[in-house]
């Protein structure tokens, strides 16, 4: 169950990223999956899974700027 919830969250974040950067959803997933943010999101001990989609998107965008 938890995996399905996380999978949906990843999809929502990728959709937000695609919209924000005007890129394809596939490209957004690629960016997300290869990010430090995704590594943290995949680790339940990081606590990032509990944050809102918008919060995670902001963190990801900040990472991309660096």
């Amino acid at each position: 169950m938890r995996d399905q919830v996380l999978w949906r969250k990843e999809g929502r974040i990728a959709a937000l990223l695609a919209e924000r950067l005007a890129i394809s959803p596939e490209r957004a997933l690629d960016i997300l999956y290869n990010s430090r943010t995704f590594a943290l999101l995949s680790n339940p001990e990081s606590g990032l899974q509990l944050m809102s989609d918008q919060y995670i998107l902001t963190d990801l965008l900040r990472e991309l700027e660096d």
Side-chain angles (χ1 to χ4, degrees), residues 38-56:
F38 181 75
L40 290 172
L41 186 60
S42 299
N43 179 0
E45 293 180 16
S46 74
L48 195 59
Q49 295 176 357
L50 303 174
M51 301 302 175
S52 72
D53 297 348
Q54 192 62 46
Y55 179 92
I56 297 168

Side-chain angles (χ1 to χ4, degrees), residues 11-33:
R12 290 191 308 269
I13 294 165
L16 289 170
L17 182 64
E19 183 178 325
R20 184 73 168 272
L21 299 180
I23 59 176
S24 72
E26 293 82 8
R27 177 71 180 125
L29 277 172
D30 184 52
I31 291 170
L32 176 62
Y33 287 156

Side-chain angles (χ1 to χ4, degrees), residues 3-4 34 39 58 62:
D3 291 339
Q4 290 177 355
N34 290 295
T58 300
R62 223 177 272 131

